[in-house]
Amino acid sequence: MKYFLKSLLFFLTLVFRRLKVDVVFYYPQHFNRSEGLENAYFSDMINTCMQHNISFLVFEEPDFKTNFKRSKKSIPFDFLFLLIQVFRRCFFWQKNPIKKDQIIGRLFKKVLFERLRFKNVITISQSMVSFFRGFSPACNIYDVQHGIIHNNKANYIKNNKVEDNLTKNDVHLLLSGQSFQDILIRHDKSSYFRSHSSVIGYGNDKPRKLYERFNHNALVTLQFTADHDEKTNKLLHQQLVDFISSNKNVNFYLKHHPRFNKELDLTTLFKLNNVHLASVNIRECFQQCSLNITAYSTSVFEAAFFGIPSILINPLSRFNFFKDDFNYPLQYTINDFRDIRVYQESSQLLMDWAINFYTSYDENKFLNLLK
């Protein structure tokens, strides 16, 4: 309730006072995943704005299903978010969700917030892009990459066609590496991504090797979420149970997906003697585990930055992104990594591979986009 009241007070003041900023940052609450309970995907850009006297606002969309806490540094979007939900129901006659949110955005601008002005909007997971496009037809809208992007990525590109949520809202992507941009451009028949994507990188970490050999501890980054239907989650679960059961001399540390909401009962897995619950912090996980196991998680890239090999256990061909799109350079088993030479050669190969997908944050490129 306190976040709703704080949000209500902020937006009511905008009815009467003029506020003009260069950038509006907008993100859902479940991205507060850093140690400081902040959205790490925006940290570099926000720091750049502060250092270069670029005015900005940071809005946080409530997520009533997540376990991640609210940020103390963001402005709660609760009041407007709930108001938008009401208007979506009121405009039941408009079946197109993109047009519906654009109409709501225009209405809110005209009736309530005519005094609020901004030049740029930066979102993640394409949150509220249609609303912001309706609210400000002339502003630049940027969406920050937060996971892997492949040639049939929902909300990005399907069957060589750019998704409507991007084209109808004139959204520009901010990507973490050149290889992701190459994938989009290569599979886009319209050439939309040639002019609507920029590589600005992410973070400032450089690849560094953590291990010289396999220490018999393996991290398992789980993929059980509501994104999958029940059948898919069960297939992934059974594949994992079989894999762990056949490697009883290895300790497996299971890390839940950030959006895991008990979509599957994992009792069977945790009953196994060699299975443990991993730390929430993936950096701490890599300090403990010298191998990564997953179906198709972005943890493959994060592990590669530390020279940690991944083994992909994926029973479904539609999730073969790392083989079909990313050219993952390894196809070893756990037993192969017991060979010190194989492990060390794999580590170096992976660090060289990952840098093409996740380059360091380029402040100058970001600043040029805001001009």
Side-chain angles (χ1 to χ4, degrees), residues 62-165:
D63 184 341
F64 304 111
K65 296 180 180 180
T66 188
N67 293 322
F68 291 96
K69 296 182 179 180
R70 303 297 295 262
S71 168
K72 295 180 180 179
K73 299 180 181 179
S74 302
I75 300 168
F77 203 71
D78 299 48
F79 170 65
L80 226 56
F81 179 77
L82 293 173
L83 202 57
I84 290 169
Q85 307 308 310
V86 172
F87 273 78
R88 282 173 176 172
R89 291 180 179 274
C90 293
F91 293 165
F92 61 89
W93 49 268
Q94 176 55 258
K95 303 302 181 183
N96 187 309
I98 295 175
K99 290 183 179 179
K100 181 183 292 188
D101 274 12
Q102 288 178 347
I103 292 171
I104 294 171
R106 288 197 294 271
L107 181 63
F108 280 29
K109 173 69 173 180
K110 184 176 182 180
V111 177
L112 295 174
F113 305 113
E114 197 278 332
R115 295 173 180 269
L116 175 61
R117 305 291 175 88
F118 46 82
K119 300 176 183 177
N120 304 279
V121 175
I122 298 177
T123 68
I124 190 167
S125 69
Q126 299 176 35
S127 301
M128 288 290 177
V129 292
S130 298
F131 171 81
F132 283 114
R133 178 51 70 212
F135 193 99
S136 180
C139 77
N140 301 312
I141 299 181
Y142 300 101
D143 188 72
V144 178
Q145 178 186 351
H146 69 283
I148 58 176
I149 295 177
H150 48 84
N151 69 344
N152 266 307
K153 176 72 171 178
N155 298 320
Y156 287 89
I157 188 168
K158 280 283 188 181
N159 300 318
N160 304 113
K161 181 180 181 297
V162 182
E163 294 276 43
D164 286 348
N165 202 40

Side-chain angles (χ1 to χ4, degrees), residues 229-260:
D229 57 31
E230 184 179 359
K231 181 180 179 181
T232 299
N233 275 328
K234 285 184 176 179
L235 280 171
L236 292 171
H237 177 264
Q238 188 58 53
Q239 184 86 352
L240 184 57
V241 170
D242 293 343
F243 182 86
I244 291 176
S245 298
S246 63
N247 291 280
K248 295 181 179 179
N249 57 348
V250 175
N251 294 310
F252 292 94
Y253 293 83
L254 275 55
K255 184 180 187 304
H256 292 302
H257 189 280
R259 287 185 286 107
F260 176 66

Side-chain angles (χ1 to χ4, degrees), residues 290-346:
S290 60
L291 197 64
N292 181 46
I293 314 294
T294 190
Y296 62 92
S297 169
T298 55
S299 63
V300 174
F301 291 109
E302 294 172 281
F305 255 72
F306 295 109
I308 296 175
S310 293
I311 295 177
L312 303 171
I313 50 171
N314 172 25
L316 301 168
S317 60
R318 68 178 182 272
F319 296 139
N320 281 342
F321 315 131
F322 281 92
K323 177 182 177 182
D324 298 339
D325 292 309
F326 308 145
N327 298 314
Y328 187 68
L330 302 180
Q331 287 185 327
Y332 290 127
T333 66
I334 282 185
N335 286 332
D336 292 326
F337 290 118
R338 299 182 195 279
D339 185 320
I340 295 176
R341 180 184 59 82
V342 170
Y343 189 92
Q344 292 179 353
E345 289 178 354
S346 298

Side-chain angles (χ1 to χ4, degrees), residues 180-313:
F180 284 120
Q181 186 182 49
D182 291 343
I183 290 170
L184 289 172
I185 291 175
R186 189 165 63 247
H187 292 92
D188 170 20
K189 289 183 177 180
S190 68
S191 297
Y192 179 87
F193 289 121
R194 286 188 180 277
S195 59
H196 284 77
S197 65
S198 299
V199 178
I200 67 165
Y202 171 71
N204 294 298
D205 288 339
K206 297 185 183 300
R208 60 187 180 91
K209 189 184 294 187
L210 286 182
Y211 299 96
E212 294 296 330
R213 64 179 67 196
F214 177 43
N215 67 358
H216 300 283
N217 291 335
L219 174 67
V220 181
T221 41
L222 302 172
Q223 294 293 112
F224 304 125
T225 69
D227 294 346
H228 304 144
D229 57 31
E230 184 179 359
K231 181 180 179 181
T232 299
N233 275 328
K234 285 184 176 179
L235 280 171
L236 292 171
H237 177 264
Q238 188 58 53
Q239 184 86 352
L240 184 57
V241 170
D242 293 343
F243 182 86
I244 291 176
S245 298
S246 63
N247 291 280
K248 295 181 179 179
N249 57 348
V250 175
N251 294 310
F252 292 94
Y253 293 83
L254 275 55
K255 184 180 187 304
H256 292 302
H257 189 280
R259 287 185 286 107
F260 176 66
N261 194 28
K262 299 182 180 179
E263 284 82 5
L264 200 68
D265 183 2
L266 302 180
T267 304
T268 304
L269 275 169
F270 283 103
K271 280 185 176 180
L272 299 173
N273 292 330
N274 57 334
V275 171
H276 317 277
L277 184 63
S279 168
V280 174
N281 188 314
I282 197 164
R283 295 294 183 96
E284 293 179 4
C285 294
F286 291 143
Q287 293 291 339
Q288 184 176 35
C289 302
S290 60
L291 197 64
N292 181 46
I293 314 294
T294 190
Y296 62 92
S297 169
T298 55
S299 63
V300 174
F301 291 109
E302 294 172 281
F305 255 72
F306 295 109
I308 296 175
S310 293
I311 295 177
L312 303 171
I313 50 171

